[in-house]
Amino acid sequence: MAGEIHVEEGPFGPEIRPVGAAVERTVLYLHGDPRLAGTPQDAVPTARELARHTGYAVVCARYRLHFPEALEDVYAAWEHCRDRGPAAVAGKRLGGALAAGLLLRLRDEGAAPPACAVLSSPVLDFTLDAASLLLNAAADRTLDAEALPVRAAAYAGTTPRSQPLLSPLHGNLHGLPPIQLHAAGTEMLLDDTLSLATRAARSGVEIDMRIYEDSSAQGLRQLEATAAFLRTWCSTALATPQRS
């Protein structure tokens, strides 16, 4: 586990790295909050802990809060991270949607994928027709059931809601790198995580899914599991030549 952590503003957002050690791996971290909004600075505390637990650099990317511009911003930040060596991507809520969309875009372009991806309570289907949106509405105190459709519409704009880069759950999931998924059993977006895990596993993707009793348990236990997953797959990528 790394000791002192340094934070500085980089060309694509805050960059967090351990002090006094060579850093050979980078994590692109994509923020997100219950309002489908937020800023990269909101993710810095999580990024600091990820850097401390992994010894990796973490880039908290800025992105515009509408599609497809958000994905263009994330793609540019990914290229910045990839040029440093083996890299992974992680995202929370809207950031999880963008991380998954990035995987699909890179796969479709024949580009080198991230070593792995971690998606935390991701929004993966902007059609918003999952049963858990209704079944867990009373139990989930992190999302506003009435505001979610409005905010989703503002983000999606004129893009068809089932477009795979916007809603990765509607895409072809073959050929993706290993994915770790985290969600609370009480959250409204639970079915997005469960459905992606099922479909990706059927497509031959390595899946590690963690479902927690509630959001509090997720907050307490997710970081350690995420760090272990990143260390495992980024170490494998470092030993394996990357295709361009």
Side-chain angles (χ1 to χ4, degrees):
M1 185 179 294
E4 185 179 355
I5 301 297
H6 177 68
V7 181
E8 65 182 12
E9 188 65 26
F12 294 93
E15 298 193 5
I16 298 90
R17 63 181 57 247
V19 173
V23 178
E24 297 179 306
R25 305 163 181 88
T26 303
V27 178
L28 173 63
Y29 190 88
L30 305 174
H31 62 276
D33 69 11
R35 297 173 292 110
L36 303 187
T39 70
Q41 285 70 29
D42 297 336
V44 169
T46 297
R48 289 179 68 98
E49 291 307 306
L50 273 181
R52 196 183 310 279
H53 280 74
T54 60
Y56 301 166
V58 182
V59 175
C60 299
R62 292 185 296 269
Y63 59 82
R64 287 166 283 181
L65 292 174
H66 40 89
F67 191 88
E69 290 83 359
L71 187 58
E72 293 299 330
D73 294 341
V74 166
Y75 188 89
W78 165 252
E79 291 186 316
H80 169 72
C81 295
R82 180 197 61 192
D83 289 344
R84 299 179 173 188
V89 62
K92 182 177 182 180
R93 296 196 185 273
L94 181 55
L98 288 164
L102 176 67
L103 298 184
L104 296 183
R105 177 170 171 177
L106 292 171
R107 189 273 319 276
D108 291 347
E109 293 180 353
C116 62
V118 179
L119 312 181
S120 176
S121 301
V123 187
L124 298 170
D125 183 3
F126 277 83
T127 66
L128 300 180
D129 62 358
S132 61
L133 290 171
L134 292 176
L135 296 176
N136 283 351
D140 188 349
R141 298 183 178 181
T142 67
L143 278 180
D144 184 332
E146 294 183 357
L148 179 61
V150 176
R151 291 167 180 159
Y155 173 74
T158 59
T159 303
R161 298 298 187 88
S162 60
Q163 208 265 28
L165 296 183
L166 171 67
S167 295
L169 198 54
H170 291 268
N172 173 6
L173 304 180
H174 286 84
L176 300 185
I179 299 173
Q180 185 179 66
L181 293 155
H182 297 269
T186 55
E187 70 180 53
M188 290 168 57
L189 295 171
L190 175 63
D191 283 355
D192 284 27
T193 292
L194 298 177
S195 296
L196 186 79
T198 300
R199 291 197 54 232
R202 287 174 177 166
S203 298
V205 179
E206 183 86 21
I207 292 293
D208 176 5
M209 182 172 66
R210 311 292 179 100
I211 304 298
Y212 305 88
E213 306 93 277
D214 53 33
S215 58
S216 296
Q218 181 178 353
L220 288 172
R221 307 205 310 257
Q222 177 176 321
L223 180 66
E224 187 174 341
T226 295
F229 186 80
L230 290 169
R231 288 195 302 266
T232 295
W233 290 103
C234 287
S235 296
T236 300
L238 188 63
T240 305
Q242 297 282 299
R243 71 179 188 271
S244 59

